[in-house]
Amino acid sequence: MAWLASMPDEEDPGLAPGEEPDPVHLPPPARKKRLPRPGQGSRAPVGVPRAVPSARRGPGEPGSARRVPGDSPGPAGAFAAGQTLDVAPGGGALHGLAEHVAGPGDRFAGASDDELTGVICALDRAEAAASALKHAAVAELIRRRPEPGCPPEGPAQMPGTYDEFTEDELRDALAETRDGAARILSLAHDLEVKLPGTRAAFRVGTLRHSKAEIIARATANLDPDQARAAEALVLDRAGRLTPGGLRAAIARAVLEVAPDKAVKRREDARREARVQRWLEDSGNAALMGRELPPAEVLAADQRISWWARQLKKAGLDGDMDQLRALAYMDIMLGRDSRPAGPPVLPVPPAAGRDGRDSQNRAPGRGEPGRGSENGEDGRPDAPRGGKPEDERGDDTGEPGDGGSQAPHPAGPHVPPAASVLPAGFAGRLHLTIPLTTLLDLAERPGEIAGLGPVDPALARELARAAAANSKTTWCLSVTDEHGHAIGHGCARPEPKNRARPARRDKPAPPGGPAPPGDHDPPGRTGNGDPPRFTFTASGEHGPPGGYGAWRLSAGLPGQRDLLVSLDPIALQTCDHRFEARGHDPGVKLRHLAQIRHATCVAPTCRRPAGNCDFEHNTPYEAGGRSCLCNGAPTCRHDHRLKQHTRWKVEQIAPGTFRRTAPSGRQYTTEPTRYPI
């Protein structure tokens, strides 16, 4: 209808040559055009340029962030927030309407900022719908090219596999590699057979191609019923999540639906461990390890971070990303890149005490990656990583770049792979594990900050390894039905004079820890099983309005139980109990803010909260409180964005933030959803 309405009257084709007018259906007499009365507004006639608007645009005008509700006079009005085309499914019709709005030169003349954003989102849905239709056509090609002996089966009537040379047929048609053609065929097959919900969301444009691929890859080793159960756990919010957020969400869903298959997949993939190198587009090179043990990767990553900080202390230029890359090569090559001078052998930080890192970057991306992030209070120590000294090769401790330089007259430098940084260097990690998983009552996934979800077996393994280290610290959070943290406490060892006496007259509960005082080898109980955690009420009163006081035991002989009191975390209302007197937040206030929001509170930022600032939503100098109701972790980039005059950030509830873009579009951030 928009196309027809846009046709000028003079484009009416009129009567064909020799055609007579129909006497029954004569056209109505032409109306005389009325001129506007003096003072009455009117649109400029065709061909007459409109007056140049002033720098202060009115509501609904091009460039305005404000729109009059229900009034969309411009050509792109239907794309405004909440209007018909802003919520329409993707498809050819939506693409055609966007083409019409683009106008001459694709300049979108007459569209406000809000409407232009709506057009961008609509074209994203149209692009996704076109890609989904392409994969539906590929699925039909699979039906027509079945492997001999593989008849159509199931509701989708798809063969179990396709003919050997179907990949070649597709790669020739699309000028694609064989691996690329195989990925297209695999996605098309899985969408039809295993992921009907993802296929439907893809077809209407809610999910773009990259997100459909993320779900398909994560569910590749599941059977159709399990895959459908996993996708159902994320589809309600998959379109709003960033690719990294969706990858973590669907990985967590797979771990919940099929933990055994997740463990098998991890163990099988270790057989494909490898180191890859390639040439970057810039002409530099890249080196990457794949399918490595998570605990060892964390230990290696923290070793790199530690040596990067030593390089920084030595005066080398560069940010932490550059220094970490240099430290990586130092460790790999056994060299020392510090400036020549008298050797100063730094003392490695004690286990469980680590400095603050910059964010890591994923290969080929400009956004924070999923590497380890250090420096957050209350994180348990990482299990020991690396190899013993005698298994690390012939690290001789020679100076320079592996022997090409003479020793410095003042003395040799010590490479970071030698005694400066001993093997088994203990760093820190933040492991989140559901209490029911820790107690062996359920098989729910855990999560490692900077890495992502881990299967229940690995989470328990890491927790038990951490429990064996006396410097490990433990925190406990209480979540609501959505996974939002509503209570939190940091555990402390029970005072020695209050430790419970050993009870030998009462057997341990089934699956429980060995009785205190038992003399089994460390890390094992009397029957040879790993120690079991227990969690019981401590018998003390918890904080007012909180969630009680509790006792956590790792079940290890000689270790004291841990006591934890659970304070409430403000989500909807705040009683200001943790408010700081000055500008800077206290340790507890900062920690609770980082628990409530584990990443930066910007809608699409995933930088860990431990690497963010505690930012006052209303500036402290303007009367804002240093409190949970007026602050949250925010990275430096989004801190600068908040201060920009065209942007607005509101803390509409203690745990909820709303950001308004210059176009007037609003985006809301909720508290972090933890595994439940």
Side-chain angles (χ1 to χ4, degrees):
M1 292 181 64
W3 292 329
L4 295 176
S6 68
M7 291 177 61
D9 293 340
E10 57 267 27
E11 291 186 16
D12 190 314
L15 299 176
E19 182 180 3
E20 296 293 333
D22 186 353
V24 180
H25 300 94
L26 293 175
R31 292 186 178 181
K32 184 178 181 181
K33 184 178 293 186
R34 292 190 301 171
L35 297 175
R37 296 189 299 271
Q40 181 184 13
S42 63
R43 292 184 179 272
V46 177
V48 178
R50 303 178 72 179
V52 177
S54 64
R56 197 176 186 84
R57 298 180 174 93
E61 292 297 317
S64 171
R66 191 171 158 223
R67 187 174 48 80
V68 177
D71 183 17
S72 302
F79 289 95
Q83 298 297 318
T84 305
L85 299 184
D86 186 49
V87 296
L94 189 64
H95 182 271
L97 293 169
E99 283 270 18
H100 167 67
V101 168
D106 296 338
R107 295 299 304 272
F108 297 91
S112 68
D113 288 0
D114 176 30
E115 294 160 353
L116 183 61
T117 302
V119 171
I120 294 171
C121 294
L123 287 172
D124 187 70
R125 297 194 302 276
E127 179 183 25
S131 179
L133 187 59
K134 181 186 80 171
H135 283 80
V138 172
E140 181 60 27
L141 179 64
I142 294 175
R143 293 187 183 97
R144 300 183 184 189
R145 303 289 188 275
E147 180 76 11
C150 293
E153 56 187 21
Q157 287 295 286
M158 293 283 288
T161 185
Y162 46 81
D163 180 74
E164 176 186 1
F165 300 112
T166 308
E167 292 176 4
D168 299 272
E169 186 174 3
L170 191 61
R171 72 168 179 160
D172 289 347
L174 299 179
E176 183 59 87
T177 64
R178 180 174 295 174
D179 287 343
R183 286 195 299 269
I184 296 173
L185 288 161
S186 176
L187 178 58
H189 181 274
D190 287 350
L191 290 173
E192 295 290 331
V193 175
K194 299 166 61 173
L195 300 168
T198 302
R199 181 185 184 279
F202 191 20
R203 189 68 180 87
V204 299
T206 302
L207 296 180
R208 65 176 68 98
H209 176 261
S210 60
K211 292 186 176 182
E213 273 195 321
I214 288 172
I215 295 176
R217 284 199 303 267
T219 57
N221 64 326
L222 304 185
D223 59 46
D225 290 339
Q226 292 172 332
R228 294 185 189 105
E231 71 170 357
L233 295 176
V234 302
L235 283 179
D236 62 330
R237 63 188 190 283
R240 304 191 307 271
L241 294 174
T242 63
L246 177 59
R247 189 176 292 108
I250 187 61
R252 192 179 303 119
V254 169
L255 292 170
E256 291 180 15
V257 169
D260 294 340
K261 287 191 175 181
V263 173
K264 187 177 185 303
R265 180 183 184 183
R266 173 167 57 86
E267 293 174 348
D268 290 346
R270 284 190 181 180
R271 300 190 187 99
E272 300 178 7
R274 60 200 183 276
V275 175
Q276 294 177 325
R277 70 177 188 273
W278 66 91
L279 195 66
E280 300 277 18
D281 294 339
S282 63
N284 295 308
L287 184 67
M288 177 173 62
R290 304 289 300 275
E291 301 296 350
L292 307 176
E296 294 183 14
V297 168
L298 287 168
D301 180 81
Q302 293 170 41
R303 176 175 293 203
I304 292 170
S305 295
W306 182 82
W307 185 246
R309 285 190 292 275
Q310 306 312 312
L311 297 179
K312 188 177 184 68
K313 290 178 183 177
L316 270 70
D317 295 331
D319 58 24
M320 281 301 293
D321 284 330
Q322 295 168 329
L323 292 176
R324 276 173 49 84
L326 183 59
Y328 174 59
M329 297 308 298
D330 275 3
I331 294 172
M332 294 296 296
L333 300 176
R335 72 184 184 193
D336 189 342
S337 292
R338 291 176 296 179
V344 178
L345 300 184
V347 180
R353 300 188 62 182
D354 200 1
R356 200 172 288 259
D357 259 353
S358 73
Q359 88 268 17
N360 302 323
R361 306 232 178 231
R365 301 173 72 102
E367 62 187 31
R370 297 194 296 170
S372 158
E373 299 289 346
N374 307 325
E376 180 175 332
D377 292 335
R379 297 184 179 182
D381 293 306
R384 291 170 62 89
K387 296 183 178 180
E389 290 259 45
D390 58 352
E391 294 181 22
R392 284 180 300 156
D394 48 357
D395 295 327
T396 61
E398 292 297 319
D401 58 356
S404 61
Q405 297 178 357
H408 191 273
H413 284 231
V414 183
S419 59
V420 172
L421 192 58
F425 167 69
R428 302 183 65 179
L429 63 90
H430 185 177
L431 170 67
T432 301
I433 177 171
L435 185 61
T436 52
T437 300
L438 186 67
L439 301 179
D440 284 311
L441 300 176
E443 294 294 306
R444 294 173 182 165
E447 189 157 345
I448 298 177
L451 275 187
V454 294
D455 60 76
L458 178 58
R460 277 192 292 266
E461 178 185 338
L462 293 175
R464 287 165 182 157
N469 190 326
S470 60
K471 293 183 174 62
T472 294
T473 56
W474 298 83
C475 292
L476 186 74
S477 296
V478 180
T479 64
D480 60 15
E481 66 275 15
H482 303 295
H484 301 153
I486 57 176
H488 183 80
C490 296
R492 67 188 190 281
E494 184 176 28
K496 292 183 179 180
N497 59 354
R498 293 174 51 193
R500 295 180 298 176
R503 295 185 178 180
R504 299 185 180 274
D505 57 340
K506 200 172 182 181
D518 192 77
H519 297 287
D520 292 319
R524 292 286 167 181
T525 57
N527 57 7
D529 293 332
R532 298 290 182 93
F533 289 85
T534 60
F535 185 70
T536 56
S538 68
E540 299 178 353
H541 295 292
Y547 297 90
W550 303 86
R551 179 188 301 272
L552 177 66
S553 172
L556 293 173
Q559 283 199 6
R560 287 179 286 169
D561 291 350
L562 300 172
L563 302 179
V564 56
S565 297
L566 298 175
D567 292 298
I569 295 180
L571 293 186
Q572 299 300 326
T573 59
C574 184
D575 58 10
H576 316 301
R577 68 174 66 189
F578 303 115
E579 180 179 2
R581 294 183 179 180
H583 175 276
D584 296 336
V587 174
K588 192 167 190 176
L589 173 59
R590 183 188 297 274
H591 183 55
L592 292 178
Q594 293 173 353
I595 294 298
R596 187 178 64 184
H597 292 94
T599 60
C600 171
V601 295
T604 54
C605 182
R606 302 189 71 235
R607 176 173 291 195
N611 294 95
C612 296
D613 300 322
F614 180 91
E615 185 192 19
H616 296 72
N617 193 66
T618 299
Y620 178 78
E621 296 76 10
R625 297 175 180 266
S626 297
C627 187
L628 285 173
C629 60
N630 188 50
T634 308
C635 70
R636 295 293 174 87
H637 172 83
D638 289 297
H639 173 79
R640 292 190 299 106
L641 179 145
K642 175 181 174 290
Q643 294 178 324
H644 196 282
T645 56
R646 299 190 67 190
W647 289 81
K648 182 179 181 181
V649 179
E650 304 168 273
Q651 193 167 355
I652 56 179
T656 307
F657 288 78
R658 181 172 61 204
R659 187 157 87 172
T660 305
S663 65
R665 300 242 167 179
Q666 295 181 330
Y667 309 94
T668 303
T669 303
E670 65 175 0
T672 296
R673 294 193 182 198
Y674 289 97
I676 57 174

